[in-house]
Amino acid sequence: MLLKTGPRSRARAWILSGALLFAPPAFAGDPPKDPAPNDPAPKPKEEAPKDEQPYVHKGFVYRSTTAVRYNPLGLSSFFRVGYQRPLLGPQDNILLQRTYVGINAVTTITPAFIRGGLRLDVQPLAFLQFLFAYEGMALFGTYDTLQSFKRVSEDFGDVKQVERGKQGLSYRTTGGIFTADVILQAKAGPFLLVSDTQFIHTDFTITPGDRFYFDLPFSMLAMDDGWMVSNETDLLFVTSFGLMAGARHGVYHTFFPAEVIVGEEARAEQITPIEFAGPLLGWQFPEHNGPKRFNAPGIFLNVSWWIRNPYRTGQEVAATVPYIVGGFTFKGTL
């Protein structure tokens, strides 16, 4: 999973166009009337300023995001490149603007794994976006990953994982990840609300007899050949000069079938979901409303605290230690 990029490019500022001046046409069959010598010249009619149509590129596009995190530690670089085309074209109705469909090659590179594949992007309405991706993933066996477990009651905290790694219980492996993503966004005045929900199915090659593994991107126990869901919701105040400030709330949940946690239901409820919340800051430099090779660079920083986590709310890490994610993002057309 891509580390979340904080304030997204969906928080773009609207740009007002200059007023258009035009003279009213003469009626058919009537020549224009010349003004009397002492009469002032007729004034052209002024139209109210209009919002400039948001540009949606038809052709090849790319985006890059690099992010670091703390508690737990992480470093990742995400890149996508693909072809997109507008769905509806220019629209006066704001709800029908920015619609497009695109197909992208995506990749995420970290010191512990690499993943990549194809993703379909569909934005049928300005406030609604769907993403569907299938990616292969290869874990290098570094940083005591990957580790798998037979029961949810086993200890998968940072300290125990280091011990298990020294015992040779971490290993290289490969697998596949399917992601269905729904993004909802709404803007009222300077306030922007973005809710990103992902449904993820993973299937890895793990030790025979094991049913669970430690998922490094989400930092929680996951079920092999099973489903997870994540939601990150941002509420931001967006200024006219690019600064964005607000808060983020996140929750990640693993679905454990009842038959695989018999007798360990209490432990399953303890380890999932995990939840965090905290302030979010971002700065987006001016976005060019048209084709451009390097466009809309931005930086972001989220400092949160764990609300629910089996190891980071006082068990192994003090609850006062923040969960920090920061990074840099940009995009462009090719």
Side-chain angles (χ1 to χ4, degrees):
M1 172 191 174
L2 168 67
L3 294 178
K4 300 300 176 182
T5 59
R8 302 163 173 85
S9 61
R10 295 179 286 275
R12 304 179 181 98
W14 288 84
I15 305 171
L16 294 179
S17 63
L20 300 177
L21 303 180
F22 67 94
F27 290 107
D30 293 336
K33 296 182 179 180
D34 294 326
N38 296 327
D39 289 344
K43 294 182 179 180
K45 184 178 179 181
E46 185 175 290
E47 187 180 77
K50 294 181 178 179
D51 287 340
E52 185 179 0
Q53 285 283 346
Y55 177 76
V56 179
H57 185 66
K58 180 181 179 180
F60 288 95
V61 296
Y62 78 92
R63 174 176 289 281
S64 175
T65 301
T66 299
V68 295
R69 74 179 184 182
Y70 171 74
N71 190 27
L73 290 173
L75 169 66
S76 70
S77 183
F78 167 82
F79 187 77
R80 71 169 169 88
V81 60
Y83 182 85
Q84 73 175 33
R85 63 177 301 154
L87 277 178
L88 301 177
Q91 298 285 326
D92 291 332
N93 188 332
I94 190 173
L95 299 181
L96 301 179
Q97 296 176 358
R98 298 187 184 278
T99 61
Y100 71 94
V101 61
I103 185 73
N104 294 278
V106 296
T107 184
T108 302
I109 301 174
T110 82
F113 65 82
I114 184 171
R115 58 188 278 186
L118 292 177
R119 191 180 82 183
L120 174 67
D121 297 26
V122 182
Q123 183 156 318
L125 297 167
F127 63 87
L128 179 63
Q129 186 176 13
F130 298 103
L131 311 176
F132 303 95
Y134 185 80
E135 300 169 83
M137 183 172 180
L139 291 108
F140 306 142
T142 55
Y143 304 98
D144 301 314
T145 62
L146 177 115
Q147 295 191 18
S148 55
F149 307 86
K150 289 181 171 60
R151 299 179 303 275
V152 296
S153 58
E154 294 186 65
D155 187 354
F156 58 90
D158 292 351
V159 175
K160 189 63 176 180
Q161 287 201 51
V162 172
E163 294 178 3
R164 288 169 55 90
K166 293 178 180 179
Q167 297 170 14
L169 297 178
S170 59
Y171 52 93
R172 300 177 183 180
T173 192
T174 58
I177 304 171
F178 170 77
T179 304
D181 194 348
V182 182
I183 301 172
L184 297 171
Q185 52 197 332
K187 193 172 187 296
F191 294 98
L192 175 70
L193 178 68
V194 180
S195 182
D196 185 347
T197 302
Q198 294 187 342
F199 299 90
I200 307 105
H201 182 273
T202 61
D203 189 5
F204 287 93
T205 301
I206 63 175
T207 301
D210 289 352
R211 291 182 167 182
F212 311 96
Y213 70 94
F214 181 76
D215 186 86
L216 192 60
F218 285 114
S219 190
M220 67 178 181
L221 196 70
M223 182 168 175
D224 189 47
D225 195 13
W227 287 89
M228 297 177 285
V229 62
S230 74
N231 175 266
E232 292 186 359
T233 299
D234 301 338
L235 178 61
L236 294 165
F237 181 87
V238 182
T239 68
S240 59
F241 52 88
L243 176 66
M244 293 169 277
R248 166 173 289 179
H249 173 266
V251 58
Y252 307 149
H253 178 69
T254 299
F255 294 103
F256 293 129
E259 62 271 16
V260 303
I261 56 170
V262 174
E264 299 182 323
E265 292 84 358
R267 171 62 172 172
E269 292 180 0
Q270 179 190 25
I271 65 176
T272 189
I274 60 175
E275 182 181 7
F276 63 90
L280 176 63
L281 293 173
W283 184 284
Q284 181 171 300
F285 295 90
E287 178 180 3
H288 178 69
N289 195 38
K292 193 175 183 181
R293 186 64 55 87
F294 179 79
N295 200 8
I299 55 177
F300 58 90
L301 177 66
N302 174 219
V303 180
S304 293
W305 283 266
W306 290 104
I307 300 170
R308 290 191 59 180
N309 191 300
Y311 296 101
R312 302 184 187 280
T313 55
Q315 301 85 349
E316 288 188 0
V317 181
T320 54
V321 178
Y323 168 48
I324 303 173
V325 179
F328 173 68
T329 184
F330 60 92
K331 65 176 184 177
T333 59
L334 300 174

